[in-house]
Amino acid sequence: MDSVLLEVKDLKTYFLAEAGIARAVDSVSFNMSERQVLGIVGESGCGKSVCALSILRLVPPPGVTAGGEIWFQGKDLLSIPENEMQSIRGNEISVIFQEPMTSLNPVFRIEDQIAEILLRHKHISKKEARHQVIELLRRVGIPSPEIRMSDYPHQMSGGMRQRVVIAMAIACNPRLIIADEPTTALDVTIQAQILSLLDDLREMQGMAILLITHDLGVIAEMAEEVLVMYTGRLVEHAGVKELFENPLHPYTQGLMRSIPGRAASDDRGRLEPIPGVVPSLLALPPGCKFNTRCPWSFDRCFREEPELIASDGGHPVRCWLY
């Protein structure tokens, strides 16, 4: 049994606006084991990315981490000094963002951008860094790395740029990679290649992956456990097989019905969307936050918010139906 690598306890990250407090992450708790792939899924605006930025202590102002603990290899990341946190970012915890052009500096060559990470964290010579850059590019499947390392980001395709970002993420052999929508900007064929590459690298280097996405197909392909988020809260937590076979929360069921090839809304095979939109974090409804969109809501759902608890013989779900 792999030991616990990351433990998030009652995490609260709020954005302080003139109109009020937006609780982007509200009392979220979960654990990750070494080598595990844990997926976080939900619509845009549900708090997935803010959760990742909280772990890295990179929440932009006016956001603040208002409470909770984040334990990584015996250290509470929310209480250690910033210089110690800087030595963890990019070294022990790396991140892959969804759009590689936001992660790569357009005016520097690929070689320089990867070498900068190696020189900062590994304290090696420039010559050794160059050798390691070539090896990293080769490992992520970039052909002729000795030549392509001299390219600027705009000279590469989207798929190649994402491979470079992955090379940067694995440069220091991190224990944890946070992959935030790593394939959203890519076409379907390249998506499959990138997911396969991440899985191969996980096996090879023994790292864990926190996979953040709105795409349940990606979750089915990669994850072992899944957290479903809605309005900053966890509404369901299950193993991936159990979640797909027995989704409990009406929100999760709605996400499942929106997957092509699963349930259709009518005889013509049209997809069934979830009605309504995610409510503003500044104007959340009382009670269950999904109550205005839920086909099964009843009086109690509009008065009281349920806790995230395991149903009879099942997995944890935040719903009065259970």
Side-chain angles (χ1 to χ4, degrees):
M1 181 71 178
D2 290 325
S3 59
V4 173
L5 177 68
L6 176 73
E7 187 174 7
V8 176
K9 297 180 179 180
D10 201 28
L11 178 65
K12 299 180 176 73
T13 301
Y14 300 162
F15 286 82
L16 311 178
E18 287 186 13
I21 298 173
R23 292 171 169 81
V25 176
D26 200 3
S27 301
V28 166
S29 300
F30 62 89
N31 292 347
M32 280 191 74
S33 302
E34 294 178 350
R35 309 175 71 96
Q36 181 185 13
V37 180
L38 176 67
I40 303 182
V41 69
E43 293 168 280
S44 297
C46 286
K48 308 183 302 295
S49 294
V50 176
C51 191
L53 292 171
S54 302
I55 293 169
L56 294 161
R57 258 172 54 179
L58 291 175
V59 177
V64 295
T65 301
E69 301 171 28
I70 301 173
W71 290 91
F72 177 75
Q73 298 191 117
K75 297 177 181 176
D76 184 1
L77 300 185
L78 297 182
S79 64
I80 61 175
E82 175 58 25
N83 63 340
E84 191 174 348
M85 191 67 208
Q86 287 178 5
S87 72
I88 290 174
R89 288 190 210 108
N91 187 21
E92 297 178 64
I93 303 176
S94 291
V95 62
I96 301 168
F97 291 110
Q98 60 178 298
E99 176 44 66
M101 283 305 278
T102 63
S103 305
L104 298 172
N105 191 318
V107 300
F108 287 101
R109 297 182 189 275
I110 297 303
E111 175 187 358
D112 298 329
Q113 299 193 51
I114 303 176
E116 180 186 5
I117 297 168
L118 295 167
L119 293 169
R120 179 188 303 162
H121 291 295
K122 299 183 81 171
H123 310 295
I124 57 178
S125 68
K126 289 185 177 180
K127 183 179 180 181
E128 176 59 25
R130 180 181 174 85
H131 288 311
Q132 291 195 25
V133 169
I134 293 170
E135 176 55 32
L136 283 164
L137 293 177
R138 183 175 288 118
R139 199 181 303 172
V140 297
I142 291 183
S144 306
E146 300 88 347
I147 298 170
R148 299 308 301 268
M149 66 192 292
S150 298
D151 285 354
Y152 291 95
H154 74 271
Q155 294 174 287
M156 291 184 153
S157 67
M160 284 296 169
R161 287 195 294 264
Q162 193 64 302
R163 288 174 185 269
V164 169
V165 171
I166 293 171
M168 294 169 69
I170 66 169
C172 296
N173 294 312
R175 303 292 299 279
L176 171 64
I177 283 186
I178 299 173
D180 188 359
E181 302 277 12
T183 61
T184 296
L186 307 174
D187 66 49
V188 175
T189 305
I190 305 300
Q191 276 189 29
Q193 293 175 5
I194 294 298
L195 293 176
S196 178
L197 171 63
L198 282 172
D199 200 43
D200 290 345
L201 290 169
R202 180 182 72 90
E203 289 292 330
M204 195 186 322
Q205 299 190 196
M207 60 197 183
I209 298 176
L210 181 61
L211 180 62
I212 297 168
T213 182
H214 65 274
D215 188 337
L216 281 164
V218 171
I219 290 291
E221 182 82 18
M222 288 281 293
E224 299 159 277
E225 282 188 45
V226 191
L227 306 172
V228 182
M229 285 192 75
Y230 187 75
T231 60
R233 296 155 173 78
L234 293 185
V235 297
E236 194 159 359
H237 179 188
V240 67
K241 187 172 185 289
E242 185 176 2
L243 190 82
F244 275 79
E245 290 181 352
N246 186 31
L248 298 178
H249 199 282
Y251 177 62
T252 311
Q253 294 169 1
L255 292 176
M256 294 292 181
R257 285 194 297 271
S258 68
I259 302 175
R262 284 182 71 92
S265 62
D266 59 27
D267 295 336
R268 289 171 288 181
R270 293 186 300 195
L271 297 178
E272 182 180 344
I274 301 173
V277 295
V278 179
S280 166
L281 294 174
L282 293 169
L284 292 173
C288 172
K289 307 313 172 195
F290 191 62
N291 56 24
T292 58
R293 307 175 72 189
C294 179
W296 313 111
S297 57
F298 54 99
D299 289 349
R300 190 177 188 182
C301 305
F302 293 89
R303 295 195 312 268
E304 304 172 52
E305 184 171 10
E307 297 292 322
L308 181 73
I309 56 172
S311 59
D312 295 339
H315 53 261
V317 60
R318 187 187 296 272
C319 182
W320 288 122
L321 293 174
Y322 306 97

